[in-house]
């Protein structure tokens, strides 16, 4: 793999990790950092960015994602639920990328969501619902599912369910980017140190 791809590969991984960290904290505590959530939901709508970093405005907005990526890979605060979510998202993104019909549906639905975003000039309840429904009607129809675990009190709330689905869609969006810039699962084994170094450099 080309050395120069590492910055974009790690950037996309941080995007996945940030979306999944939002999912994990909403499932366990009922809330996640609002800026982290906003950056991830808006990333779904950025389909024509010139640079990978533009999808997230700036790499500084992925601070949580880089931090979680480092924690998971270094084993300092590895979490079984998180690892399961990550593997699930990468597998679902791979399935999605080989499904041309689903890609067409997704592109059309995201375009509609973009119009709503422009109309409201930001993220609001309606847009979160729309993104959640896109996930429900596309990725969620595959036989493999991501089972989100946490506190039932929070998981039963409709608003949290919608936010979690919208964030899982954001995780898939980053996983698609990860694949596009040359991300491979074997890198977690053979290039772990390089991924960690690159993530730490982003945080410096």
């Amino acid at each position: 793999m080309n050395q120069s791809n590492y910055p974009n590969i790690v950037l996309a991984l941080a995007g996945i990790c940030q979306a999944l960290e939002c999912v994990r904290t909403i499932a366990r505590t009922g809330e996640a950092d609002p800026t982290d959530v906003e950056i991830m939901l808006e990333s779904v709508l950025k389909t024509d960015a010139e640079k990978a970093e533009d999808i997230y405005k700036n790499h500084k907005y992925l601070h949580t994602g880089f931090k979680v990526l480092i924690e998971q890979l270094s084993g300092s605060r590895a979490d079984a639920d998180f690892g399961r979510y990550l593997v699930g998202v990468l597998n679902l993104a791979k399935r999605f990328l080989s499904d041309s019909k689903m890609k067409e549906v997704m592109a059309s639905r995201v375009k509609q969501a973009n119009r709503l975003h422009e109309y409201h000039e930001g993220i609001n309840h309606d847009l979160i619902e729309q993104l959640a429904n896109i996930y429900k009607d596309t990725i969620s129809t595959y036989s493999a599912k991501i089972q989100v675990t946490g506190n039932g009190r929070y998981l039963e709330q409709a608003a949290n369910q919608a936010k979690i689905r919208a964030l899982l869609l954001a995780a898939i969006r980053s996983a698609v980017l990860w694949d596009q810039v040359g991300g491979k699962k074997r890198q977690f084994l053979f290039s772990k140190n390089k991924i960690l170094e690159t993530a730490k450099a982003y945080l410096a």
Side-chain angles (χ1 to χ4, degrees):
M1 186 183 62
N2 190 321
Q3 286 281 91
S4 63
N5 272 348
Y6 270 100
N8 283 342
I9 286 168
V10 174
L11 188 84
L13 277 176
I16 301 169
C17 287
Q18 186 153 306
L20 292 179
E21 178 62 8
C22 290
V23 167
R24 182 169 65 166
T25 54
I26 290 168
R28 291 178 180 181
T29 70
E31 54 188 41
D33 183 283
T35 305
D36 286 353
V37 171
E38 188 176 313
I39 288 297
M40 295 324 302
L41 297 186
E42 287 190 338
S43 73
V44 177
L45 306 173
K46 291 184 183 165
T47 52
D48 56 357
E50 281 182 30
K51 304 197 303 283
E53 190 166 348
D54 294 344
I55 292 166
Y56 312 102
K57 287 189 183 173
N58 182 295
H59 73 270
K60 288 183 170 59
Y61 287 101
L62 288 179
H63 181 272
T64 299
F66 290 120
K67 201 163 147 284
V68 171
L69 177 60
I70 292 164
E71 285 170 1
Q72 295 301 316
L73 286 187
S74 64
S76 62
R77 282 180 61 200
D79 178 281
D81 280 344
F82 194 92
R84 188 168 52 78
Y85 298 158
L86 181 60
V87 170
V89 162
L90 295 181
N91 289 342
L92 283 168
K94 191 176 182 185
R95 172 83 195 272
F96 169 73
L97 283 163
S98 65
D99 188 341
S100 53
K101 195 171 279 186
M102 194 68 89
K103 284 197 284 190
E104 277 175 37
V105 172
M106 180 77 81
S108 161
R109 295 285 296 274
V110 168
K111 202 176 276 186
Q112 286 171 15
N114 235 320
R115 285 198 287 271
L116 186 66
H117 180 250
E118 283 164 14
Y119 178 76
H120 288 295
E121 297 179 347
I123 302 289
N124 68 353
H125 173 74
D126 289 346
L127 183 66
I128 291 169
E129 283 287 335
Q130 195 162 353
L131 293 175
N133 285 331
I134 294 173
Y135 181 80
K136 216 160 142 185
D137 297 341
T138 57
I139 305 300
S140 208
T141 62
Y142 293 137
S143 55
K145 309 281 182 199
I146 295 174
Q147 298 293 342
V148 175
T149 53
N151 186 321
R153 187 170 134 219
Y154 303 119
L155 287 170
E156 283 161 16
Q157 293 174 23
N160 286 340
Q161 289 173 5
K163 211 173 266 187
I164 284 170
R165 286 193 185 103
L167 285 161
L168 287 173
L169 184 66
I172 296 286
R173 195 269 175 269
S174 285
V176 166
L177 173 68
W178 176 75
D179 182 88
Q180 288 169 337
V181 297
K184 301 275 182 264
K185 281 188 194 169
R186 64 172 180 268
Q187 290 154 4
F188 292 116
L189 286 176
F190 302 116
S191 310
K192 191 165 86 167
N193 289 341
K194 183 68 182 168
I195 292 170
L196 281 167
E197 274 170 36
T198 309
K200 285 171 184 172
Y202 269 120
L203 284 179

